[in-house]
Amino acid sequence: MDISWRDLQGSMKSAALWLVQEVGEGNIFTKEGLRAAFPDKTQIDRRVRELRKHGWVINTSKEEPALEANEQRFVKEGRPVWEAGQATLNQGAAVSAAERRRVMERDGHMCQSCGIVAGDAYADDEFSNAQLTIARRKVSSAEGGSTVELVTECDRCRIGGRAVTADPGYVIQRAGSLKGIENEIFRAWVAAGEREFSKLELLWGDLQSLPPESRAEAKEAILRGGSGGTPIG
Ligand SMILES: [Zn+2]
């Protein structure tokens, strides 16, 4: 290959070539290493995740529990998105059942806008329960133009209207009242421009996505004392 990742415009394309040229298939890279290579791209983690839609296999600690939270494994190269036309997804196609499962699984069965899991009641409206759907989200790319990303969203976020009108002053005031670890985590999300779900939230989403009987079984085993419980089949 005669082009270098440093020569490319567009974060996703250069991240893809960076993986190929600097990390290599099968190897582990860290968030710190990625950010050091792209110091001026604040959304670089997200761009790397987008590669999955183009057939790239990149494991996190969710797919590969032996990995640390800041580590990912570049398992397999996908489409060469740096080549003309390769980064365009088929926007009109219907979402297949397999694709739907993959997206839900990747998103931890949580609405990617508000974090609610299927069947949970909303914090400000205990009488309506969340239903999850797959939404198409238009993402504008650095080169101009845009791509469409499939994401898990609850009905309410997809429709876009919260019943209550947001008040920026109230949001700022509440953010200012956060203390300790909550304050630290929230500020990190704000700085990164995206919310990173914690291991606890991901695990909670996985638990809620189990069928009712296995969920009851899992709940019992967890409350009985962690790994001492019987495996759930
Ligand atoms: Zn939502």
Side-chain angles (χ1 to χ4, degrees), residues 111 114 154 157:
C111 170
C114 72
C154 72
C157 289

Side-chain angles (χ1 to χ4, degrees), residues 22-88:
E22 303 290 331
V23 179
E25 266 187 9
N27 294 322
I28 291 174
F29 61 98
T30 61
K31 276 189 183 169
E32 293 75 16
L34 179 65
R35 285 179 188 156
F38 299 92
D40 52 341
K41 310 271 196 226
T42 52
Q43 301 275 309
I44 196 69
D45 293 334
R46 180 172 289 199
R47 299 289 94 84
V48 166
R49 282 203 296 279
E50 279 171 12
L51 283 170
R52 292 169 158 196
K53 288 179 310 197
H54 299 280
W56 292 64
V57 183
I58 295 161
N59 284 355
T60 64
S61 56
K62 185 163 157 48
E63 293 83 20
E64 200 177 320
L67 291 174
E68 301 288 337
N70 68 330
E71 292 178 333
Q72 297 182 63
R73 187 189 300 281
F74 169 34
V75 180
K76 199 173 175 311
E77 197 180 325
R79 277 204 296 284
V81 289
W82 52 86
E83 288 176 8
Q86 288 287 344
T88 318

Side-chain angles (χ1 to χ4, degrees), residues 168-191:
Y170 184 50
V171 171
I172 296 166
Q173 182 213 316
R174 279 187 302 161
S177 70
L178 294 174
K179 302 248 183 310
I181 186 84
E182 284 186 332
N183 181 39
E184 224 168 273
I185 293 172
F186 188 72
R187 288 173 63 95
W189 289 348
V190 174

Side-chain angles (χ1 to χ4, degrees), residues 36-201:
F38 299 92
D40 52 341
K41 310 271 196 226
T42 52
Q43 301 275 309
I44 196 69
D45 293 334
R46 180 172 289 199
R47 299 289 94 84
V48 166
R49 282 203 296 279
E50 279 171 12
L51 283 170
R52 292 169 158 196
K53 288 179 310 197
H54 299 280
W56 292 64
V57 183
I58 295 161
N59 284 355
T60 64
S61 56
K62 185 163 157 48
E63 293 83 20
E64 200 177 320
L67 291 174
E68 301 288 337
N70 68 330
E71 292 178 333
Q72 297 182 63
R73 187 189 300 281
F74 169 34
V75 180
K76 199 173 175 311
E77 197 180 325
R79 277 204 296 284
V81 289
W82 52 86
E83 288 176 8
Q86 288 287 344
T88 318
L89 290 174
N90 184 356
Q91 302 194 5
V95 182
S96 70
E99 184 69 356
R100 195 186 146 77
R101 267 199 306 280
R102 191 191 64 78
V103 173
M104 287 266 186
E105 175 77 11
R106 181 202 65 197
D107 293 343
H109 304 275
M110 279 189 295
C111 170
Q112 296 303 291
S113 296
C114 72
I116 205 161
V117 300
D120 259 14
Y122 292 99
D124 59 356
D125 176 7
E126 57 183 311
F127 299 110
S128 64
N129 295 91
Q131 295 204 355
L132 297 181
T133 56
I134 303 294
R136 288 167 201 276
R137 197 182 276 171
K138 216 170 181 186
V139 184
S140 45
S141 64
E143 312 91 282
S146 59
T147 56
V148 170
E149 184 181 357
L150 293 178
V151 292
T152 306
E153 261 189 350
C154 72
D155 277 343
R156 190 159 83 166
C157 289
R158 190 170 55 85
I159 296 162
R162 301 223 170 170
V164 192
T165 311
D167 171 359
Y170 184 50
V171 171
I172 296 166
Q173 182 213 316
R174 279 187 302 161
S177 70
L178 294 174
K179 302 248 183 310
I181 186 84
E182 284 186 332
N183 181 39
E184 224 168 273
I185 293 172
F186 188 72
R187 288 173 63 95
W189 289 348
V190 174
E194 67 180 310
R195 169 179 171 183
E196 285 186 11
F197 292 111
S198 70
K199 275 188 179 167
L200 285 180
E201 289 168 302

